[in-house]
Amino acid sequence: MENATAPEETLAQSYLVEHAGQSILGLFIFLVIFAFQFSSKYLAILKKVKGSTSAADAQLRAEIKQLYKEASTLSQPSTFAQAAKLRRTAAAKEKELAKNQEVQSKEISSSFDDYSKKLMLLKIFTYVVFTYWFWGSPVAAIPYQLVQPFGRFLSWRSGGYLNDYVMVGIIQWLTVSTSVAKFACQQIFKF
């Protein structure tokens, strides 16, 4: 029985050695796509993170907290006017803080939007270049048994089957790699 499988193994091994560049090419394309997906997901998460970290805003928060604390200690009828004045001052500082945060939020949002647009343009350009370079040639070889119901679809415009391997075309590889990379990034950033 070992003799019957030995020629098949050597045929498969020789094919893999012969077409190792295609396997590396498929991995390289997947890693590029994963980097794009990771970057866009990371930018989206950074954009969602709110709250200012500037020293001026931290100082304003501390002043507001101190004013409210002082106003709460002044609970006597004779100090009511002073407490009301401190509360009004704290409310004015809260409005100033809200205005600062809104301006900062708009700046950050426009910055992230610019980066997202540039990343999207770079992604589209890269997809077009990959498609142009590898149109009609296989970028990966997958055993037929793994993709049995979809073998004909995956091998469209790339050469079909060779030695029980499905030759995967660039369009299909980009589609599958994008889906897998999106799923992987969702799992990485899930917390």
Side-chain angles (χ1 to χ4, degrees):
M1 183 158 184
E2 287 182 25
N3 292 337
T5 60
E8 292 174 7
E9 286 180 18
T10 57
L11 181 64
Q13 288 173 348
S14 68
Y15 174 77
L16 290 176
V17 168
E18 200 175 288
H19 293 83
Q22 288 177 344
S23 298
I24 293 171
L25 177 65
L27 179 63
F28 172 73
I29 292 171
F30 173 75
L31 291 176
V32 169
I33 291 171
F34 181 79
F36 280 129
Q37 295 300 327
F38 186 86
S39 300
S40 64
K41 189 74 169 175
Y42 186 71
L43 279 175
I45 287 174
L46 283 179
K47 186 177 178 181
K48 287 181 184 178
V49 173
K50 293 187 179 178
S52 86
T53 57
S54 72
D57 288 348
Q59 182 182 0
L60 271 175
R61 282 192 191 100
E63 288 176 11
I64 292 168
K65 187 176 180 180
Q66 182 64 30
L67 287 170
Y68 278 127
K69 186 185 268 185
E70 288 177 21
S72 68
T73 60
L74 301 172
S75 61
Q76 300 297 325
S78 62
T79 59
F80 175 76
Q82 189 179 2
K85 183 180 178 183
L86 289 174
R87 285 190 186 99
R88 284 193 303 271
T89 305
K93 290 192 182 239
E94 282 180 340
K95 286 182 182 178
E96 182 183 345
L97 179 64
K99 183 180 175 184
N100 288 347
Q101 287 178 339
E102 184 179 335
V103 168
Q104 188 177 19
S105 175
K106 285 182 181 178
E107 289 174 0
I108 290 172
S109 180
S110 68
S111 173
F112 281 118
D113 288 343
D114 289 343
Y115 286 133
S116 295
K117 288 177 185 176
K118 289 176 184 175
L119 184 65
M120 180 58 76
L121 289 174
L122 183 62
K123 185 191 305 188
I124 291 170
F125 176 75
T126 304
Y127 279 37
V128 168
V129 168
F130 280 158
T131 304
Y132 178 74
W133 275 349
F134 303 113
W135 185 257
S137 63
V139 293
I142 301 175
Y144 177 75
Q145 294 81 11
L146 291 178
V147 291
Q148 190 169 9
F150 305 107
R152 181 98 34 216
F153 169 72
L154 289 174
S155 66
W156 178 72
R157 302 286 297 169
S158 64
Y161 301 96
L162 182 64
N163 296 336
D164 291 333
Y165 283 87
V166 175
M167 300 293 118
V168 181
I170 187 65
I171 300 290
Q172 296 80 3
W173 189 253
L174 288 173
T175 304
V176 170
S177 295
T178 301
S179 299
V180 170
K182 280 183 181 179
F183 177 75
C185 286
Q186 286 174 352
Q187 297 304 314
I188 288 171
F189 287 111
K190 186 189 259 184
F191 49 98

